[in-house]
Structures are given as structure tokens and as C-alpha cells.
Amino acid sequence: MTENTGTRHGGAPADRGRTTVADVVVEKIAGMAARDVPGVHALGSGFARSMGSMRERMPGGGSGKSVTRGVSVEVGELQAAIDLEIVVDYGVSITDVAGEVRESVISAVERMAGREVVEVNITVSDVKLPDEEDEGEERQRIQ
């Protein structure tokens, strides 16, 4: 006796095939989610931001700010681990900002990439003081 389950093609469409998410996709999602948190001035160390600023000014060097600057990830089939390097605005609570960044990044990556985020490690590499110019602004003046 044959049982008819109503499925002719071997299972639900969502189960037919495999989806691979590249590391750069998770890096971009995490970078955008972190930048959206109030109190985050920038991502990346001062050196990385300086090099990125120079690269953006070179013809063919890239357009706009690099979304993945200051973000590194390890992505598996089911899970992801994320490391962020951020610069915060002066006067904000670093622990509060770090907590909000973690929540934002975990929510965005799990929702968009379908990967469980096992950890988000945050390094605060600098504080943006109110009277400091951005490195990019200073170089543009000097040209």
C-alpha cells in the first residue's frame, strides 16, 4: 500500500536546495546595524579609517564609506560570530552603547541572514571629542 502525502516533488520548496551566505553579507549587515545605534561615531580604528578615507579619494578606489570597515565575522552554516571595532561619541555610556550595538547586530543578522549569532565582541578603539575634526575632514582641507 502506498501512502499519498500530497507532496509530489520530495518536500516543501524551502527544503529543496541549500542557501549559502557569504561572510561579506554578514559583515555588511552587522556594519549597517552597528552604525544605526546612537552614540556610535564610526567603525574601525583611526588607522583603518584614515586608510579608507585615502582609498575613497583615489579614482577607482571605491565609492562612499566602506560598510565593512571595523567588522570581521566568522560564518558557518547555522551560526555566526562577529567582532566590531567602534568609535563612540564623547559623553555617551560606553556600556549602554555596546549593549545596544549587540542587540541591533544580533537582531539584524539573525533576521536577515538566518544565522544564530553566538557572540558579538566589541572593541571601543576611540572616543570622538566634540572639538575634534574627523580625519577625512582634516585631509580634505590640506589638499
Side-chain angles (χ1 to χ4, degrees):
M1 177 180 226
T2 319
E3 184 178 356
N4 184 359
T5 60
T7 307
R8 280 194 246 176
H9 300 288
D15 296 334
R16 292 186 222 160
R18 180 179 154 146
T19 303
T20 303
V21 178
D23 289 6
V24 70
V25 172
V26 175
E27 286 175 351
K28 287 181 178 184
I29 293 169
M32 291 300 293
R35 279 183 176 78
D36 286 345
V37 173
V40 174
H41 178 74
L43 267 65
S45 66
F47 178 73
R49 290 193 327 271
S50 297
M51 293 306 293
S53 179
M54 287 174 37
R55 196 173 24 243
E56 288 165 8
R57 287 189 179 83
M58 296 173 60
S63 59
K65 293 182 178 179
S66 173
V67 177
T68 60
R69 187 179 308 138
V71 182
S72 63
V73 301
E74 290 181 38
V75 181
E77 287 187 32
L78 302 173
Q79 298 177 324
I82 301 165
D83 295 321
L84 299 169
E85 187 171 359
I86 67 173
V87 176
V88 297
D89 292 321
Y90 177 79
V92 301
S93 166
I94 293 173
T95 54
D96 289 349
V97 169
E100 289 178 37
V101 166
R102 261 189 204 91
E103 287 179 27
S104 179
V105 167
I106 289 169
S107 174
V109 170
E110 288 184 348
R111 180 177 52 83
M112 295 176 69
R115 300 300 185 265
E116 176 192 8
V117 178
V118 294
E119 65 182 11
V120 176
N121 300 310
I122 299 171
T123 301
V124 179
S125 62
D126 202 356
V127 173
K128 169 69 169 76
L129 300 176
D131 58 345
E132 283 181 332
E133 288 184 357
D134 282 335
E135 285 137 8
E137 293 172 5
E138 186 176 320
R139 279 192 186 75
Q140 195 152 354
R141 237 184 39 213
I142 297 174
Q143 290 181 358

